Amino acid sequence: MLKYQIQTLHKHYLHKIKKEKRRIIGTQLLLLCVFFLTWEVLSRLQWIDPLIFSMPSRVWELAIENIADGSLLIHSSVTLTETIIGFTLGTIGGTCIALILWWSPFLSKVLDPYLVVLNSMPKVALGPIIIVAFGPGIPSVIAMACLLSIVITTLVVYNAFQQVDENYKKVLLTFGATKKQLFRHAVLPACYPTIISTMKVNVGLSWVGVIVGEFLVAKQGLGYLIIYGFQVFQFQQVMMSLLVIAILASLMYKSIEGLEKYLMKRKKRM
Amino acid sequence: MLSLHNVEKVYFTEENAVQAVTGIDLNVSDGEFISFIGPSGCGKTTVLSMIAGLFPPTSGRIIMRDKEMKGYSKETGYMLQEDYLFPWLTIRKNIELGLIITGMHNKNTINETLSLLKQLGLEDKADAFPSELSGGMRQRAALVRMLAPHPSLLLLDEPFSALDYQTKLKLEDLVYTTLKEQQKTAILVTHDLSEAIAMSDRIYLFQSNPGRIHNVFDVPETFKYKRPLEARNNPDFHPFFQRVWKELENVEVPNTNTS
Ligand SMILES: Nc1ncnc2c1ncn2[C@@H]1O[C@H](COP(=O)(O)OP(=O)(O)OP(=O)(O)O)[C@@H](O)[C@H]1O
Ligand SMILES: [Mg+2]
């Protein structure tokens, strides 16, 4: 009797959770529809300038057109590729530099002030120098994305390496561990959570780097579409590019989250 | 198997130099069970760390099996004051860690280690994470981790201090019998005098400022070879406890150093 009661209560509880989830998603979708609808209506009624803000239906038309002639795909894939490469280089490069600093305390002390300067420096200001160094093309864009994320990754991950509890290292040292083993078995795994959260931050930073880079030099890509649309007063193109960027960036963020969840689950399962 | 000759350790910090221990002389033969007791800060952990090869003594010599110790030796296993199981690894992976680091990771040693885990009653916890274990279970797992690469000299730094009394008594017995079965030599650091008496063959009493050996007690033959639980019930246990206790009080009250 009692057991039966508990079971029904549990079912009830699960049902409630499901219902709440559905309500949240429903409201979220509703909000999105309201946003686009308001935009469309306001624009049509000329309450906001349709020349500047365009309207969803026109943006949609343009998107269909550009998908059909394949140009949107090309621009998106160029930008996405640049972002992913910049992101990967920034994250891995930053982690590797952090490793080198951890390995050599002398070097880390020597480099400390330079890292502080680099970190507080607005990296975008280095744009012209990057273009001169890498040429006016995709390499410059990637370098910009990488530069934006690599310094902060280095600082955050190095800091995490240093914060690892000495006693985990001591445990390994009692087995005669080498420095490499200390890193591989204690320091690095202890810092996985930090590295993952740095990756999340880096997604945003590399998008900033790529778009700014494309503003400056590109002949292709979503950033180029934005700046070009702006120059020729084609604002539906600007809006379309913005929406595509929003979608792609969130997808990238979500896949990092997915990776995190996968790692957590694997950890729990093993 | 182990001897220390006039060992001294000075810690250097930016403000000052701390003389942690000085003039440590001791001998441990094969199969002996030794205890270190003494007030907090008298250098017990320091001595243990030097024997484990974590850092060299500032002066003096540590001889292990007729050879001067330099750094880590395969002979020693060290169990730190807390278990420090790696929270991101399962118990199985945790206890294999010592094997991996020492390069002894193979099917045989893994199976051996797992059967030791079973012997200590943790078989069903092999795939659990440390956070899912009780304090006593974690200590047992840490013990297995230490024993996995077959050290012959075990250094135990207050392994039972975080446990409730009952668990502690049980674990003392378990550790004692496991170590005797495998004919290990052991050095135990503890704050608990009765634990030191129940488990060991000889007791080194330390005093502080600077840390050094104040006195050495041989545990009476009548219960020296008995298991800790039985030893505690021996009629000779209490008189001996009283004797050492007096000395311990002498040491723990500041400015009454008489040696
Ligand atoms: N890394 C260090 N740097 C400087 N001084 C230290 C360091 N480690 C220990 N000491 C000092 O050396 C002395 C002995 O310390 P140790 O940890 O060996 O004592 P202990 O007997 O193990 O104490 P407890 O019973 O509290 O664990 C203490 O005075 C302590 O302040
Ligand atoms: Mg200590």
Side-chain angles (χ1 to χ4, degrees):
Chain A
M1 179 66 194
L2 206 77
K3 192 162 181 201
Y4 172 75
Q5 257 181 357
I6 289 174
Q7 267 174 359
T8 40
L9 280 178
H10 188 224
K11 249 186 220 152
H12 204 75
Y13 171 74
L14 288 182
H15 185 73
K16 223 170 93 183
I17 289 181
K18 226 181 192 172
K19 219 164 114 187
E20 170 152 338
K21 218 173 179 178
R22 243 184 274 150
R23 255 182 55 195
I24 290 174
I25 292 178
T27 316
Q28 283 168 338
L29 286 176
L30 188 71
L31 219 60
L32 199 67
C33 292
V34 168
F35 172 72
F36 281 115
L37 214 66
T38 323
W39 181 6
E40 180 85 30
V41 170
L42 289 181
S43 199
R44 277 187 193 245
L45 294 176
Q46 305 259 336
W47 288 20
I48 55 175
D49 190 343
L51 267 181
I52 293 173
F53 293 101
S54 187
M55 57 186 80
S57 56
R58 286 212 206 133
V59 172
W60 182 246
E61 267 166 38
L62 181 72
I64 298 286
E65 210 174 282
N66 286 353
I67 290 171
D69 66 14
S71 59
L72 185 59
L73 187 68
I74 291 176
H75 288 296
S76 310
S77 49
V78 167
T79 302
L80 192 61
T81 315
E82 288 166 346
T83 312
I84 290 176
I85 295 177
F87 164 81
T88 315
L89 287 180
T91 309
I92 295 182
T95 309
C96 288
I97 299 175
L99 163 60
I100 293 168
L101 294 181
W102 177 81
W103 200 278
S104 160
F106 176 73
L107 198 64
S108 84
K109 276 174 204 144
V110 170
L111 292 185
D112 179 60
Y114 298 103
L115 280 172
V116 170
V117 170
L118 269 180
N119 186 45
S120 25
M121 177 114 183
K123 261 76 68 185
V124 176
L126 296 175
I129 296 173
I130 288 179
I131 294 168
V132 173
F134 291 89
I138 290 178
S140 280
V141 179
I142 293 176
M144 188 65 114
C146 174
L147 184 67
L148 233 54
S149 49
I150 198 165
V151 184
I152 188 73
T153 307
T154 304
L155 285 175
V156 172
V157 174
Y158 172 61
N159 198 28
F161 284 169
Q162 277 190 310
Q163 303 279 317
V164 173
D165 193 333
E166 284 294 321
N167 289 298
Y168 292 131
K169 290 188 249 169
K170 215 185 226 171
V171 166
L172 297 186
L173 284 175
T174 63
F175 296 116
T178 60
K179 197 154 188 177
K180 197 169 139 198
Q181 285 174 322
L182 285 188
F183 183 76
R184 162 81 185 73
H185 293 283
V187 177
L188 187 61
C191 293
Y192 278 148
T194 313
I195 294 176
I196 293 271
S197 57
T198 324
M199 280 166 95
K200 286 181 179 169
V201 175
N202 286 350
V203 170
L205 289 177
S206 7
W207 275 97
V208 173
V210 162
I211 299 302
V212 169
E214 288 185 347
F215 279 2
L216 292 176
V217 290
K219 300 275 172 292
Q220 265 183 331
L222 296 167
Y224 163 76
L225 283 188
I226 291 177
I227 208 81
Y228 183 75
F230 168 68
Q231 280 161 357
V232 300
F233 231 69
Q234 276 255 334
F235 275 92
Q236 39 295 30
Q237 185 171 314
V238 175
M239 291 298 177
M240 177 191 73
S241 312
L242 281 179
L243 288 176
V244 173
I245 290 173
I247 293 169
L248 290 179
S250 337
L251 282 181
M252 206 162 146
Y253 185 86
K254 277 284 165 197
S255 45
I256 302 291
E257 249 182 15
L259 177 75
E260 183 182 16
K261 276 206 187 111
Y262 168 77
L263 287 177
M264 296 284 275
K265 221 191 224 158
R266 211 185 55 158
K267 196 181 120 178
K268 280 264 144 19
R269 283 281 156 75
M270 257 185 333
Chain B
M1 73 176 295
L2 172 80
S3 57
L4 274 64
H5 300 285
N6 204 12
V7 165
E8 175 173 42
K9 174 72 193 175
V10 183
Y11 286 110
F12 296 102
T13 62
E14 289 199 353
E15 299 89 49
N16 53 8
V18 183
Q19 194 180 25
V21 291
T22 183
I24 303 289
D25 282 300
L26 61 86
N27 267 299
V28 185
S29 21
D30 274 314
E32 264 190 316
F33 201 121
I34 304 293
S35 285
F36 290 172
I37 55 170
S40 186
C42 64
K44 304 177 298 273
T45 301
T46 304
V47 173
L48 228 50
S49 304
M50 286 189 287
I51 297 172
L54 292 183
F55 46 77
T58 312
S59 69
R61 301 190 324 143
I62 301 177
I63 311 286
M64 174 85 107
R65 294 220 190 280
D66 304 324
K67 265 188 282 174
E68 178 127 17
M69 275 226 355
K70 280 192 204 78
Y72 165 76
S73 150
K74 266 194 187 313
E75 303 279 345
T76 55
Y78 188 2
M79 196 161 148
L80 302 179
Q81 207 150 337
E82 277 170 63
D83 55 68
Y84 289 111
L85 295 169
F86 288 16
W88 56 85
L89 296 176
T90 57
I91 296 303
R92 184 196 303 275
K93 296 275 170 198
N94 259 298
I95 59 177
E96 284 174 13
L97 210 55
L99 298 175
I100 294 172
I101 301 294
T102 50
M104 296 170 63
H105 197 249
N106 60 47
K107 255 215 173 88
N108 268 338
T109 53
I110 292 174
N111 284 338
E112 239 177 289
T113 307
L114 281 177
S115 71
L116 185 61
L117 192 71
K118 188 173 171 183
Q119 207 181 317
L120 295 194
L122 285 176
E123 174 186 24
D124 52 332
K125 297 289 179 194
D127 293 309
F129 282 90
S131 56
E132 296 162 318
L133 269 61
S134 71
M137 291 173 176
R138 292 166 62 112
Q139 289 292 358
R140 276 180 277 164
L143 185 71
V144 175
R145 176 177 64 184
M146 175 188 65
L147 290 174
H150 298 296
S152 52
L153 171 65
L154 307 180
L155 309 168
L156 310 164
D157 198 348
E158 303 189 30
F160 312 116
S161 60
L163 304 176
D164 62 274
Y165 191 64
Q166 231 173 341
T167 316
K168 183 176 125 119
L169 288 189
K170 275 191 207 151
L171 216 52
E172 278 177 14
D173 249 37
L174 188 66
V175 169
Y176 184 86
T177 41
T178 311
L179 297 193
K180 288 289 168 199
E181 258 168 38
Q182 304 192 2
Q183 298 171 334
K184 306 285 191 195
T185 314
I187 301 179
L188 170 78
V189 168
T190 176
H191 273 128
D192 179 352
L193 177 57
S194 66
E195 177 176 295
I197 297 174
M199 292 193 75
S200 49
D201 307 330
R202 192 143 31 91
I203 298 172
Y204 285 87
L205 175 58
F206 280 62
Q207 68 178 83
S208 39
N209 295 324
R212 67 208 121 122
I213 296 171
H214 175 79
N215 220 335
V216 185
F217 299 92
D218 279 311
V219 172
E221 296 283 334
T222 43
F223 58 85
K224 188 167 166 179
Y225 302 110
K226 294 215 164 96
R227 288 173 27 227
L229 259 179
E230 291 173 35
R232 282 176 197 268
N233 289 327
N234 193 285
D236 291 340
F237 186 89
H238 206 64
F240 184 65
F241 181 94
Q242 290 295 348
R243 214 183 102 209
V244 185
W245 180 255
K246 270 211 189 97
E247 287 291 330
L248 192 60
E249 278 191 323
N250 277 343
V251 168
E252 282 190 341
V253 180
N255 306 324
T256 50
N257 298 338
T258 46
S259 76

